[in-house]
Amino acid sequence: FFDHIEKWFLINNVTPIDDLIISTFTNVTDLKSEICKLQARENRLTNLMGSLPDIFFIIEKDGTYIDYVSNNPELMKLSQKDIIGKTIFEMGFSNPMAYQIYTSIQYVIENDNIETIEYGMELSNGKTLIFEMRLAKLNEKQVISIGRDITSNKEFQYQLIEAKKKTEEANRLKSSFLENISHEIRTPMNAILGFSNMAISNHYSEEEKNNFLQIILKNGEYLMDIITNIIDISEIESGSIAYNPSPILVNEMFMNIYQKYYNKINNNNIQFNLTIGNEYPDFSIINDNFCI
């Protein structure tokens, strides 16, 4: 390199006879400039590949690996000597998958296209990972293969699909629940409205009207139970029900339940009796009295 003219020369020396040297100077400035540009480009590409989490392969048309770059060699536990020189038929792929990759290589080279293949690979630690392989043409005899671990993405997609299924099932159950509740509410409401109109009519005797009022009362209680259950379900779903445990006297608890349902059950011609078998009136359990 000559500083004063900023040019590169290739010097060849020839000695035809003793004490005589013939030197030829060939201007290679343009060639050196192109080489520097190519080296700079190669450095940029190397740095770019070094920043990506992918695995890069150069594969010959016949399926032979001739280069391998990975920023995470621990992922597959493979070094260059384990890969370079081997073919896709020797890398642990199943025969159908190896032939699919081989066919894709031919297609990419012939059509200058990009092919994407997904495959699973079991590692030495027993874990199975899912990879995405993208094949692109380098020249008439080679392709570049870019492999990426997409296991986490696939798991996330699976979780989204499952969450969608659960949401759809919840919506279906909610719609079914609302339809059933609508039917359950409409039945006692129709009875209440219908017998209320009959109770205020002058076409029925006092005894018949009293029967109508009993029917209205029963359906009102039934309707109240439905509304109470709906409120309970709503509070359970919203998490607003608090559990408040406290001592409850067992004999007193059964007596309260007996008194609560005695009239309802006995009116249906069912004999309903309570036998207290515990001789200790102070015997108690820990529970939420509201739940009983």
Side-chain angles (χ1 to χ4, degrees):
F1 181 73
F2 292 95
D3 292 328
H4 63 289
I5 59 174
E6 296 185 351
K7 291 186 181 296
W8 289 88
F9 288 87
L10 178 65
I11 303 174
N12 289 313
N13 296 320
V14 180
T15 306
I17 58 176
D18 295 340
D19 301 328
L20 178 63
I21 298 176
I22 299 175
S23 297
T24 59
F25 291 73
T26 304
N27 186 352
V28 293
T29 303
D30 293 340
L31 179 61
K32 287 289 290 184
S33 177
E34 289 300 319
I35 291 175
C36 289
K37 290 179 181 178
L38 289 174
Q39 288 176 338
R41 182 182 179 187
E42 182 180 357
N43 291 335
R44 288 196 301 271
L45 291 175
T46 301
N47 292 333
L48 176 62
M49 292 175 66
S51 65
L52 297 175
D54 302 316
I55 307 171
F56 299 88
F57 304 93
I58 304 298
I59 309 176
E60 294 278 6
K61 187 175 183 179
D62 64 357
T64 302
Y65 291 93
I66 62 172
D67 202 359
Y68 163 61
V69 177
S70 174
N71 297 317
N72 187 8
E74 294 298 316
L75 180 64
M76 298 179 62
K77 301 289 186 181
L78 294 174
S79 62
Q80 285 193 336
K81 66 178 181 180
D82 297 321
I83 296 178
I84 295 177
K86 294 185 178 180
T87 69
I88 55 177
F89 299 98
E90 302 173 292
M91 290 305 298
F93 296 112
S94 64
N95 285 334
M97 178 57 65
Y99 278 105
Q100 182 180 350
I101 296 172
Y102 178 81
T103 303
S104 296
I105 291 173
Q106 313 309 311
Y107 180 81
V108 165
I109 291 177
E110 292 173 6
N111 299 278
D112 196 10
N113 240 336
I114 295 177
E115 284 280 284
T116 301
I117 302 173
E118 291 184 4
Y119 62 93
M121 178 170 286
E122 184 174 348
L123 306 184
S124 57
N125 59 7
K127 184 178 181 180
T128 299
L129 298 181
I130 301 175
F131 288 90
E132 178 187 79
M133 175 192 296
R134 289 194 177 185
L135 298 168
K137 180 180 178 180
L138 277 182
N139 52 51
E140 296 300 325
K141 296 183 179 180
Q142 297 173 345
V143 298
I144 182 171
S145 169
I146 304 173
R148 175 171 292 184
D149 178 13
I150 59 172
T151 308
S152 298
N153 292 341
K154 285 296 182 180
E155 291 175 349
F156 182 66
Q157 290 177 10
Y158 174 78
Q159 292 172 359
L160 286 179
I161 292 173
E162 289 300 307
K164 181 182 178 183
K165 288 181 180 178
K166 290 180 179 179
T167 301
E168 291 174 347
E169 178 65 12
N171 289 334
R172 186 188 67 79
L173 292 174
K174 185 174 291 186
S175 298
S176 177
F177 171 76
L178 291 175
E179 289 177 2
N180 291 333
I181 287 297
S182 175
H183 174 73
E184 292 293 327
I185 292 176
R186 191 177 291 110
T187 299
M189 282 298 298
N190 287 335
I192 292 171
L193 294 174
F195 283 101
S196 294
N197 289 327
M198 294 169 67
I200 63 176
S201 173
N202 296 324
H203 297 88
Y204 301 95
S205 66
E206 289 299 320
E207 184 180 354
E208 289 176 320
K209 290 182 179 181
N210 286 333
N211 290 332
F212 297 159
L213 292 176
Q214 289 296 324
I215 295 173
I216 293 171
L217 181 61
K218 287 183 178 180
N219 280 275
E221 292 174 349
Y222 177 57
L223 182 60
M224 181 60 69
D225 289 339
I226 293 174
I227 295 173
T228 301
N229 291 335
I230 294 174
I231 294 174
D232 288 344
I233 292 173
S234 176
E235 290 179 343
I236 291 172
E237 289 184 341
S238 64
S240 60
I241 289 184
Y243 176 62
N244 298 309
S246 61
I248 299 175
L249 296 175
V250 174
N251 291 348
E252 183 179 315
M253 174 187 70
F254 279 108
M255 181 58 69
N256 291 335
I257 296 174
Y258 175 75
Q259 293 173 348
K260 179 179 179 180
Y261 292 102
Y262 177 80
N263 290 330
K264 293 183 179 180
I265 295 178
N266 279 359
N267 287 339
N268 293 321
N269 297 321
I270 298 175
Q271 187 175 0
F272 181 46
N273 297 315
L274 172 65
T275 301
I276 301 295
N278 195 316
E279 298 179 356
Y280 303 96
D282 293 333
F283 176 70
S284 64
I285 61 173
I286 302 298
N287 199 358
D288 188 338
N289 193 40
F290 177 76
C291 299
I292 298 175

